[in-house]
Amino acid sequence: YFGYAALVGSKPAEGLAGSPEYAAPEVLSWLEAEIRPSEVSGIPYGGKCDVWSAGVTAHVLLCADLHFTLPEAADDEEPDEMELVEAARDTELKFEQPEWQSA
């Protein structure tokens, strides 16, 4: 499913928007800032983050999989947002997987 979105104008956007699985690292920084406001501040972002999200969407369409492994959740529950953010943010992007041989 897709999350909510934000309209980005001429000024950099601030705050969380979108689905963690598809969001750029700058957007994900705002979730951390909401959880630990005294330790972390979010990174302002612009329309270039949409290019990241479009790239993730293209990867899913071409490979039928996300570019990172979803974290395991206990008792068949969905992982929480922070676990998704950490998995998406901390992944090392590689395009040598077998999925790309036929793309």
Side-chain angles (χ1 to χ4, degrees):
Y1 70 93
F2 287 93
Y4 50 94
L7 181 61
V8 178
S10 58
K11 294 182 182 180
E14 295 182 353
L16 186 62
S19 300
E21 298 93 327
Y22 295 83
E26 298 89 338
V27 178
L28 297 176
S29 71
W30 290 93
L31 180 60
E32 267 189 294
E34 286 179 10
I35 293 171
R36 299 190 308 259
S38 62
E39 301 172 33
V40 180
S41 59
I43 302 168
Y45 57 92
K48 292 180 182 180
C49 288
D50 291 338
V51 175
W52 174 279
S53 297
V56 173
T57 302
H59 186 279
V60 170
L61 291 171
L62 290 169
C63 299
D65 205 2
L66 287 168
H67 63 286
F68 63 93
T69 303
L70 290 171
E72 294 289 326
D75 301 326
D76 293 329
E77 293 180 15
E78 298 217 4
D80 69 22
E81 276 193 326
M82 198 60 216
E83 290 173 321
L84 289 173
V85 166
E86 288 170 355
R89 183 193 59 213
D90 297 339
T91 190
E92 188 174 323
L93 298 177
K94 294 181 183 176
F95 297 101
E96 300 169 4
Q97 295 98 345
E99 296 89 3
W100 284 96
Q101 299 304 317
S102 61

